[in-house]
Amino acid sequence: MDKKIILRRIRHSRFMIVGAVVLVFILALSLLAPVVCQFDPEASSIAERLLPPEWLSHGMAGHILGTDELGRDVFTRLLYGARISIMIAVAVCCSAAVLGTALGLTAGYFGKKVDMVIMRAMEVIQAIPDIVLAICVLSLLGPSTLNLIIVLLIGRTPMFCRLARNNTLVYRNAEFVKASRSMGAGRAHIIFTQILPNITTPLIVQLSQAFGSNIMIESSLSFLGLGIQQPQPSWGNMIAAGRKFLATDPWVCFAPGVALMLIVLAFNFLGDGLRDVLDPKRT
Amino acid sequence: MYFLRFVGKRILQTVIVLFFVSVIAFALIRIAPGNPATLLLPDNATEEQIQEKEAELGLDKPVVIQYLNYMGGVLRGDLGTSYNYQQPVTKVFFSRFPNTLRLTVAMMLICLACGIPLGIIAGIKQGTVIDFVAMIFALLGQSMSNVWLAVLNIYIFAVWLGWLPSVGVGGMEYLILPALTLGYPLSATTCRLGRSGMIDVLREDYITCTKAKGIPDYLVYCKYAFKNALIPIVTVVGSQFGLFLGGSVVVETIFSWSGIGQLLNQAIGNRDYELVQSSLLLIACMCAVVYLLIDIINALIDPRITLD
């Protein structure tokens, strides 16, 4: 599509701009966490436990969002937690997109038995709810960041695979593919230069939405104690720890909860915006 | 004819998928470190006692034989015994199932009562205030992780307003918060699907035609447009129904709701291998059957699907 049209559409897509700005802001803050924060995310200090946020009465200067039950600064932990959540989301979603697209292209292009084997495998994965699969694997093999990434990757791959396969089927017998086949083009050439460029748009939209849902699942697993382990901060385990103090000190839960909502909202805005911007049928 | 062939093919696919799920569930437990026999014996058990226990559990046989024995039992309706509860797995599983079913039905009711009507109305009244409100409702709902939504619900309704008990199992008042936690995000999704489906359908020529013929608006929307906007909703709502029949581990754990999800989480924690393995299989069975039903319902709504 013409770059000018895309740029013009982006300028008119308010949701997408808001999403992108929020994301860049969160990303910048979390990358700059060591500079922005004056505290250590894992250093506890019992004297300063459960301080309310700075702007409330009894708040202590410096602790913008207060402290948790071990006296650790909530804002600092929030930013360090964002780093690990975003890192896992990027690692999982990008590799799931690549793996899923490769499998989907193969299934869609070669069809028949190859298609059957790959698609049945995807159905097997989807028959087990992904959070259940994740819990089984993580508690049996032990929770570690690598295991977490692998198990989330397994759960995320089928949706990319299905999407890539269904779109490949549309183009496999298209006129231009037939033409280049009759001119002697090889399989690899057809798959990578004729079909792949035509199926990327829905995959990009799917990818941007997968980031948000991946961050949510990761936080659920960390909440259950199977993802990122204390004392390393993650939004899920911060909510889990703060839950005990919900009645008296709600900010310990609310800070990571609101952050979680904001980042997922931003990814969803971006995804919706991208779908509109890249829609070839739009006039 | 096409319909029967379609259904037959889908049933065959489901059986194949379930076979592989059973292999995976079986393998997962075997890969896990730790010997189930030692878990059942006191710490000071001798090597001889361990071997005896292994023989009793059939763990001394080759893996393939173990699998065949297990599947033989499954086909006869014997899903093994839970070490922890000292009861057949089916009994433990189905004693928890009504709670999960209750939660799932409540979730679906919320979705049917809020999500679908709101989405349909927003689609019809595109660009109005109602549409805007519905979109805010949907965008927020889709961004709520169930962990955060659960905590927020507990804070608002149990801590702040004090209207509802925060956790536990019991009457209606215990059901509301977990059902709301599961129901809101699902309502948000169906709201968006209903809206976009309705907008797409209302652009079709046949709708313009029915309108031009002077058929009243409500009939156009209810009879002609709604049915075609329904397919994506049936697919998504149905698959969520199937998934949640297996229990929502997170929500059930947070609200101490003793359903399948909590059972599974505890069983994994206790290394209750037969329970985990057979629960996985039962959950996957329910999911697969629901997926099958969705495809059949969709084929009934839109017969073109069977031609594929």
Side-chain angles (χ1 to χ4, degrees):
Chain A
M1 235 185 323
D2 190 11
K3 277 198 183 104
K4 265 188 197 160
I5 300 178
I6 293 184
L7 278 178
R8 198 182 65 216
R9 284 181 183 177
I10 289 177
R11 271 204 305 276
H12 288 282
S13 170
R14 266 180 245 149
F15 275 138
M16 189 176 161
I17 294 174
V18 171
V21 168
V22 171
L23 276 181
V24 169
F25 183 68
I26 295 177
L27 212 59
L29 263 184
S30 60
L31 284 177
L32 293 173
V35 185
V36 179
C37 305
Q38 41 170 327
F39 302 100
D40 180 336
E42 296 178 19
S44 49
S45 115
I46 295 302
E48 292 173 8
R49 70 191 293 268
L50 292 171
L51 286 173
E54 196 180 80
W55 67 81
L56 294 178
S57 54
H58 312 298
M60 191 169 144
H63 293 299
I64 305 175
L65 293 173
T67 57
D68 68 4
E69 76 283 4
L70 293 174
R72 299 172 295 197
D73 184 56
V74 171
F75 183 67
T76 307
R77 288 177 66 75
L78 207 58
L79 295 193
Y80 281 91
R83 297 177 93 161
I84 186 84
S85 287
I86 294 171
M87 192 275 280
I88 290 177
V90 169
V92 168
C93 295
C94 293
S95 28
V98 172
L99 187 63
T101 308
L103 286 171
L105 275 171
T106 316
Y109 187 79
F110 293 102
K112 297 195 183 101
K113 279 183 185 157
V114 180
D115 183 38
M116 213 194 76
V117 170
I118 294 178
M119 294 324 286
R120 286 306 87 74
M122 294 300 130
E123 279 168 21
V124 170
I125 296 173
Q126 287 186 315
I128 307 174
D130 50 1
I131 196 134
V132 171
L133 184 70
I135 289 170
C136 289
V137 174
L138 287 174
S139 44
L140 296 175
L141 300 185
S144 76
T145 308
L146 184 65
N147 285 350
L148 186 63
I149 290 176
I150 292 172
V151 80
L152 288 172
L153 172 64
I154 296 173
R156 303 279 93 182
T157 305
M159 57 183 191
F160 289 104
C161 178
R162 277 168 172 265
L163 194 64
R165 172 198 175 251
N166 291 344
N167 286 312
T168 305
L169 286 181
V170 173
Y171 289 101
R172 185 175 60 177
N173 293 320
E175 290 290 317
F176 63 89
V177 173
K178 277 185 189 160
S180 73
R181 198 176 290 143
S182 59
M183 277 163 32
R187 281 172 187 161
H189 179 81
I190 290 177
I191 291 177
F192 290 111
T193 65
Q194 315 258 304
I195 297 179
L196 186 60
N198 278 303
I199 66 168
T200 44
T201 306
L203 287 167
I204 291 172
V205 174
Q206 177 80 273
L207 181 63
S208 69
Q209 284 163 343
F211 282 122
S213 66
N214 196 76
I215 286 180
M216 288 206 269
I217 294 186
E218 183 267 316
S219 75
S220 297
L221 290 172
S222 297
F223 179 88
L224 292 171
L226 292 167
I228 308 301
Q229 302 290 309
Q230 292 274 15
Q232 194 184 12
S234 91
W235 294 349
N237 70 27
M238 287 170 76
I239 296 179
R243 211 182 124 209
K244 298 179 205 102
F245 312 97
L246 190 61
T248 45
D249 314 282
W251 63 87
V252 187
C253 264
F254 277 30
V258 171
L260 201 56
M261 192 172 74
L262 270 183
I263 197 166
V264 177
L265 202 59
F267 275 121
N268 285 348
F269 276 8
L270 195 69
D272 288 358
L274 273 177
R275 189 177 49 206
D276 291 345
V277 167
L278 299 174
D279 183 6
K281 283 186 199 139
R282 194 172 130 180
T283 43
Chain B
M1 191 57 218
Y2 281 119
F3 183 72
L4 284 181
R5 207 169 69 190
F6 171 75
V7 172
K9 212 170 127 191
R10 281 293 288 113
I11 290 177
L12 188 68
Q13 279 178 9
T14 306
V15 172
I16 296 173
V17 166
L18 286 178
F19 166 71
F20 281 106
V21 171
S22 75
V23 174
I24 289 177
F26 183 84
L28 212 55
I29 305 301
R30 297 298 174 286
I31 294 168
N35 183 348
T38 49
L39 280 172
L40 289 170
L41 293 167
D43 285 342
N44 55 6
T46 59
E47 192 62 32
E48 216 168 54
Q49 279 174 308
I50 292 175
Q51 277 175 4
E52 212 169 279
K53 196 79 188 170
E54 278 182 347
E56 187 192 322
L57 296 171
L59 293 171
D60 55 343
K61 299 198 180 72
V63 180
V64 180
I65 303 292
Q66 284 183 41
Y67 174 76
L68 289 177
N69 281 341
Y70 171 69
M71 280 314 282
V74 168
L75 293 177
R76 287 194 303 270
D78 168 23
L79 287 126
T81 312
S82 154
Y83 302 144
N84 197 39
Y85 295 88
Q86 288 300 324
Q87 276 179 338
V89 168
T90 36
K91 202 173 166 194
V92 178
F93 189 89
F94 286 105
S95 71
R96 298 292 196 97
F97 186 66
N99 275 335
T100 292
L101 187 64
R102 221 150 52 104
L103 190 55
T104 311
V105 170
M107 170 190 88
M108 300 299 288
L109 286 179
I110 291 176
C111 166
L112 291 179
C114 306
I116 297 178
L118 200 60
I120 300 288
I121 294 170
I124 295 172
K125 307 259 179 208
Q126 198 191 351
T128 62
V129 180
I130 300 175
D131 185 24
F132 185 72
V133 171
M135 285 324 286
I136 301 271
F137 168 87
L139 281 170
L140 275 180
Q142 284 196 313
S143 314
M144 293 272 200
S145 138
N146 48 18
V147 172
W148 163 234
L149 190 56
V151 167
L152 192 64
N153 274 334
I154 292 178
Y155 186 74
I156 295 175
F157 293 105
V159 176
W160 188 32
L161 298 171
W163 290 351
L164 296 164
S166 55
V167 295
V169 191
M172 260 320 258
E173 70 271 27
Y174 289 94
L175 182 64
I176 296 174
L177 288 186
L180 210 59
T181 306
L182 290 175
Y184 180 31
L186 184 61
S187 301
T189 311
T190 47
C191 178
R192 295 194 59 183
L193 283 175
R195 179 181 180 271
S196 59
M198 210 62 187
I199 290 174
D200 285 345
V201 172
L202 290 179
R203 277 196 206 129
E204 298 277 340
D205 288 340
Y206 76 94
I207 293 292
T208 319
C209 175
T210 44
K211 278 187 175 175
K213 279 187 161 181
I215 293 173
D217 272 357
Y218 75 91
L219 214 62
V220 174
Y221 296 139
C222 298
K223 194 171 169 192
Y224 298 97
F226 180 61
K227 204 173 150 190
N228 281 300
L230 206 59
I231 290 175
I233 300 182
V234 171
T235 309
V236 169
V237 174
S239 57
Q240 292 295 315
F241 184 76
L243 282 180
F244 284 112
L245 278 183
S248 163
V249 179
V250 177
V251 172
E252 285 184 5
T253 304
I254 295 179
F255 288 100
S256 309
W257 186 263
S258 58
I260 305 292
Q262 203 200 25
L263 176 74
L264 190 64
N265 198 21
Q266 286 167 348
I268 292 169
N270 296 331
R271 311 243 147 199
D272 195 341
Y273 290 123
E274 294 234 312
L275 185 56
V276 173
Q277 180 179 331
S278 297
S279 300
L280 268 181
L281 194 57
L282 283 170
I283 290 172
C285 263
M286 290 192 294
C287 265
V289 170
V290 173
Y291 288 160
L292 181 68
L293 289 177
I294 296 167
D295 280 354
I296 293 175
I297 292 172
N298 279 341
L300 287 173
I301 297 178
D302 185 351
R304 281 174 299 181
I305 290 173
T306 57
L307 296 177
D308 167 20

